[in-house]
């Protein structure tokens, strides 16, 4: 929401906003453009008939007093995705979806388009090198690339967000059950992606990971005049801890990212770019310089024998893919992998079993969670034994104190070893860059 506010401000709109809590980096970035509300909270008196529209965030409650006032005055209320569509009705729309990989694939496509001086708009969920803002909505761009998720649109609209974008081209990177609090069954979760695939117009295209059994069924389903394009792991080899793509026409292409999941991401991004008129030569030249999206296997520090990475991985499939990727890239190094359970799903006893053996590739496996977070989400309390049983690993180390976790990591002998820190949270406000510096010292 704060990125959209900044973009509309830069376009010349008068923008105001409200929230009950504003976190970093949103608060400092809003302040930079003089858009930060002087006081947090809800003030229905700010909603007047002078407003052209109200854009509603997905976390606002149905009884929000400002929303009630907007309805009372008959002001147009958009959800976030509805407004993005409003601003891109006359553009070719590409939506990148999936339980995992969508941020990275979107980032790859944007990187390739920018490298080749294409004119495009975008919406992406992570900071990317070379892009100041995560939203771009210009008048003259013929194309918009959108990272679209399956979560509900808003408190007054249970439609999956990606449906509102009405894509001409949709990529689905994989389906792995997530958002347990919203989609309590596997079937209800899968249904959202089927709705996306079925929404494509004539002359549209669906691009999908054919190694995902459920997605293969959805992707191969016959749809009148909709092109169906499967993709798989891009051919590659690993040499001296470096990944090299193997291509038919461009020879071998060294790249800066690694892991089988990223080799799939590259294949998916290539299919999208081909549909957008990017040649193989243009694609591979660009992808060779792609460093990754923020917090996606992001290198926090390194020396000759140790690398420290952080990753946004929190869902079971992401934890497994990221852990496997690092072990495969550095098979000779000890892998210390630490995952934080932070989301509603990951802290729910009914969902925990989905993490079974997901840290199998780690030599030292660690899980951290904050009991206060469990309490705040009003979930049943968890014990260390609950976590070990769920992960199916007797030697799993479980921490509920960030200070104790930090002390343990510093106590290890760091030589010929890698540290992987996986979370959508903050490990109890642990300074990860300082931790990395201490480990590397």
């Amino acid at each position: 929401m704060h990125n959209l506010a900044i973009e509309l401000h830069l376009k010349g709109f008068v923008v105001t906003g409200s929230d009950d809590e504003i976190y970093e980096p949103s608060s400092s970035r809003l302040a930079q453009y003089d858009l930060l509300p002087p006081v947090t909270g809800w003030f229905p008196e700010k909603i007047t008939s002078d407003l052209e529209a109200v854009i509603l965030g997905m976390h606002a409650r149905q009884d929000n007093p400002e929303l009630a006032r907007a309805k009372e005055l008959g002001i147009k209320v958009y959800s976030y995705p509805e407004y993005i569509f409003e601003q891109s009705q006359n553009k070719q729309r590409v939506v990148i979806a999936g339980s995992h990989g969508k941020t990275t694939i979107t980032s790859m496509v944007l990187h390739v388009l920018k490298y080749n001086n294409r004119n495009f708009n975008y919406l992406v969920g992570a900071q990317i090198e070379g892009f100041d803002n995560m939203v771009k909505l210009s008048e003259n761009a013929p194309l918009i690339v959108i990272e679209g998720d399956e979560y509900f649109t808003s408190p007054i609209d249970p439609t999956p967000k990606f449906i509102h974008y009405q894509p001409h081209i949709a990529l689905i990177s994989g389906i792995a059950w997530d958002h347990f609090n919203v989609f309590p069954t596997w079937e209800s979760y899968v249904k959202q992606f089927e709705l996306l695939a079925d929404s494509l117009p004539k002359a549209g295209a669906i691009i999908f990971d054919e190694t995902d059994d459920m997605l293969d069924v959805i992707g191969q389903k016959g749809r009148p005049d909709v092109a169906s394009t499967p993709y798989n792991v891009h051919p590659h080899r690993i040499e001296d801890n470096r990944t090299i793509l193997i291509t038919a026409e461009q020879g071998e292409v060294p790249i800066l990212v690694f892991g089988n999941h990223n080799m799939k991401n590259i294949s998916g991004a290539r299919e999208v770019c081909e549909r957008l008129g990017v040649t193989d030569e243009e694609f591979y030249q660009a992808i060779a310089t792609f460093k990754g999206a923020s917090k996606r296997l992001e290198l926090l520090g390194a020396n000759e024998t140790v690398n420290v990475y952080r990753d946004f991985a929190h869902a079971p499939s992401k934890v497994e893919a990221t852990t496997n990727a690092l072990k495969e890239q550095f098979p000779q190094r000890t892998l210390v992998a630490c995952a934080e359970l932070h989301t509603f799903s990951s802290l729910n006893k009914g969902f925990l079993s989905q993490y079974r053996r997901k840290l199998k590739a780690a030599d030292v496996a660690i899980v951290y969670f904050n009991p206060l977070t469990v309490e705040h989400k009003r979930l049943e309390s968890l014990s260390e034994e609950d976590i070990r049983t769920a992960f199916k690993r007797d030697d799993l180390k479980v921490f509920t104190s960030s200070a104790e976790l930090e002390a343990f990591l510093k106590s290890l002998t760091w030589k010929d070893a890698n540290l992987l820190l996986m979370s959508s949270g903050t490990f109890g406000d642990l300074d990860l860059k300082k931790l990395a510096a201490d480990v590397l010292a």
Side-chain angles (χ1 to χ4, degrees), residues 312-358:
F312 194 70
H314 53 89
S317 60
K318 298 175 183 177
V319 168
E320 181 179 41
T322 304
T323 306
N324 288 347
L326 205 51
K327 190 60 181 178
E328 289 166 4
Q329 192 75 3
F330 299 90
Q332 76 284 9
R333 292 188 184 182
T334 300
L335 175 57
V336 180
C338 182
E340 177 181 11
L341 303 182
H342 175 72
T343 64
F344 184 97
S345 296
S346 66
L347 291 168
N348 194 300
K349 276 191 177 181
F351 187 81
L352 261 181
S353 62
Q354 300 294 317
Y355 286 92
R356 183 184 178 94
R357 301 188 189 282
K358 299 306 184 187

Side-chain angles (χ1 to χ4, degrees), residues 289-440:
T289 65
F290 178 70
K291 295 180 181 179
S294 174
K295 297 182 182 178
R296 272 68 177 181
L297 272 175
E298 180 182 352
L299 185 63
L300 293 179
N303 59 31
E304 291 182 359
T305 66
V306 181
N307 287 7
V308 180
Y309 294 91
R310 70 171 166 184
D311 194 274
F312 194 70
H314 53 89
S317 60
K318 298 175 183 177
V319 168
E320 181 179 41
T322 304
T323 306
N324 288 347
L326 205 51
K327 190 60 181 178
E328 289 166 4
Q329 192 75 3
F330 299 90
Q332 76 284 9
R333 292 188 184 182
T334 300
L335 175 57
V336 180
C338 182
E340 177 181 11
L341 303 182
H342 175 72
T343 64
F344 184 97
S345 296
S346 66
L347 291 168
N348 194 300
K349 276 191 177 181
F351 187 81
L352 261 181
S353 62
Q354 300 294 317
Y355 286 92
R356 183 184 178 94
R357 301 188 189 282
K358 299 306 184 187
L359 285 173
K360 184 180 178 181
D363 299 293
V364 179
I366 305 167
V367 167
Y368 165 82
F369 75 97
N370 187 338
L372 291 177
T373 304
V374 179
E375 185 179 327
H376 177 72
K377 295 181 186 292
R378 298 178 183 178
L379 294 168
E380 185 180 352
S381 62
L382 297 172
S383 68
E384 293 186 13
E385 196 52 42
D386 290 332
I387 305 296
R388 290 194 185 90
T389 300
F391 276 79
K392 197 66 177 178
R393 181 151 180 170
D394 293 336
D395 66 342
L396 183 72
K397 300 186 183 302
V398 181
F399 292 90
T400 56
S401 161
S402 58
E404 291 177 8
L405 169 62
E406 183 178 18
F408 172 76
L409 292 174
K410 289 181 180 179
S411 73
L412 298 178
T413 300
W414 290 100
K415 184 180 179 184
D416 296 323
N418 286 334
L419 173 59
L420 171 60
L421 298 157
M422 296 176 284
S423 178
S424 60
T426 64
F427 288 98
D429 293 325
L430 198 58
D431 187 334
L432 299 187
K433 290 191 175 180
K434 183 179 182 301
L435 174 62
D438 291 339
V439 165
L440 296 168

Side-chain angles (χ1 to χ4, degrees), residues 44-99:
E45 63 272 15
K46 289 184 177 181
I47 308 300
T48 70
S49 56
D50 293 335
L51 298 179
E52 291 182 46
V54 168
I55 303 175
L56 181 65
M58 63 176 284
H59 295 297
R61 297 184 183 277
Q62 289 190 31
D63 61 356
N64 184 287
E66 293 187 8
L67 174 60
R69 181 62 175 158
K71 288 179 174 179
E72 181 184 323
L73 293 174
I75 298 170
K76 176 67 178 177
V77 177
Y78 292 100
S79 66
Y80 187 102
E82 285 174 324
Y83 189 78
I84 295 295
F85 175 74
E86 176 74 15
Q87 293 287 301
S88 58
Q89 286 189 64
N90 299 319
K91 303 179 189 296
Q92 183 180 26
R93 294 179 299 279
V94 178
V95 169
I96 312 297
S99 306

Side-chain angles (χ1 to χ4, degrees), residues 94-105:
V94 178
V95 169
I96 312 297
S99 306
H100 44 249
K102 59 182 174 288
T103 300
T104 299
I105 295 173

